[in-house]
Amino acid sequence: MLGRILGCVVLIILICLSQSLAGQSLNDSHTNTQSPAIKQPPPTEGQISVLRLRVPRKAVELYNQALDAFEKQKLDDAKKRVEQALKIHPSYPDALTLRGGIHLEWQQWDAAAQDFRASIDTDPAFAPAYIGLADALNVEFRFDDALAVLQRADQLTPGAWNVQYETSRALIGKHLYERALNVLEEALRARAPHDSLLRLAKAHALVALGKLPEAAGELRAYLSSGSVEREDEAARDLLNRIQAAVGGQ
């Protein structure tokens, strides 16, 4: 009986703690290591014809080298190459957005936001810059500002998984868990190829709603997906705490 009571107490404490920290932990700069800001399809043909054809070939080559280095997590090399590209063509929206993504990786939020806004000023139709800006705003707990930015991103790329992910982060931060779940379920029904982050966000919303076994299932799927770029200790710790509270379900 005592063990059962203690188990219930632990469960209640975990739920209450999760409700207060769900948005904070998902948006925390130290635990949110998987940024979707740069993971976006290339510009449309219309955008290429209007803006990208003006970019000198050398700047494009340097940008592509920087993007390749960024994807391999060679951030110093990526920053060097993208700076060279921007020196040749300062109003290159793709390069500005990539540099913003590098600043995100280095947790330099103000510099990241400045680059994303500069990219938007150069090309108001370039969705990745909006997604990156929303990422930076979410980390700073500016959830209403992030949602306003994401409305424009959703108009540009309806149903994009990373727009839905950032939207769910903002909604969870505002403790609107059911709305966040609706957004995430819609994204997961579309069988997004990058669904691991969506599952992580869904797990946080489920924990805050007290649906711990379901949250544990989403965390297991996230951690075993193979698309997680590096071990997420915060997610592993949350899963361990849930399993301890519900008896390993």
Side-chain angles (χ1 to χ4, degrees), residues 3-169:
R4 197 180 286 180
I5 293 173
L6 289 175
C8 291
V9 170
V10 171
L11 183 62
I12 292 170
I13 291 173
L14 180 58
I15 292 172
C16 292
L17 183 64
S18 298
Q19 287 178 334
S20 64
L21 296 181
Q24 181 176 345
S25 59
L26 184 61
N27 294 293
D28 187 87
S29 61
H30 297 291
T31 60
N32 180 46
T33 58
Q34 311 291 324
S35 173
I38 308 300
K39 299 173 182 176
Q40 183 76 3
T44 64
E45 290 299 322
Q47 291 172 311
I48 292 173
S49 63
V50 173
L51 290 170
R52 272 74 189 178
L53 291 180
R54 300 175 185 170
V55 180
R57 179 177 296 181
K58 183 59 178 178
V60 174
E61 291 175 356
L62 287 164
Y63 165 76
N64 288 331
Q65 292 169 12
L67 182 59
D68 182 64
F70 177 84
E71 291 173 345
K72 295 175 180 177
Q73 284 295 296
K74 297 179 179 179
L75 299 182
D76 289 329
D77 187 38
K79 179 73 181 303
K80 176 183 177 182
R81 302 289 182 182
V82 80
E83 291 283 11
Q84 291 172 337
L86 286 168
K87 188 174 182 179
I88 295 171
H89 194 73
S91 59
Y92 190 178
D94 308 63
L96 287 165
T97 299
L98 177 56
R99 190 172 67 179
I102 296 169
H103 286 308
L104 281 182
E105 290 288 327
W106 285 338
Q107 301 182 13
Q108 298 169 345
W109 316 124
D110 290 341
Q114 183 176 347
D115 276 335
F116 292 134
R117 293 187 189 280
S119 178
I120 290 169
D121 289 342
T122 302
D123 181 3
F126 192 46
Y130 293 89
I131 299 168
L133 180 57
D135 192 342
L137 292 169
N138 273 330
V139 170
E140 294 186 308
F141 308 119
R142 295 172 58 184
F143 303 121
D144 288 321
D145 291 337
L147 288 172
V149 169
L150 288 162
Q151 283 187 335
R152 177 56 178 156
D154 189 52
Q155 293 171 353
L156 293 169
T157 55
W161 75 271
N162 38 15
V163 174
Q164 292 167 311
Y165 170 71
E166 292 296 340
T167 299
S168 72
R169 286 178 67 192

Side-chain angles (χ1 to χ4, degrees), residues 181-220:
L181 277 177
N182 289 337
V183 171
L184 291 163
E185 290 289 358
E186 180 182 349
L188 287 166
R189 279 196 297 271
R191 302 180 65 85
H194 303 285
D195 68 353
S196 63
L197 282 174
L198 299 172
R199 294 193 179 281
L200 176 63
K202 184 178 178 181
H204 280 267
L206 288 168
V207 169
L209 291 169
K211 300 179 179 180
L212 300 186
E214 295 94 327
E218 295 297 336
L219 286 168
R220 292 190 195 100

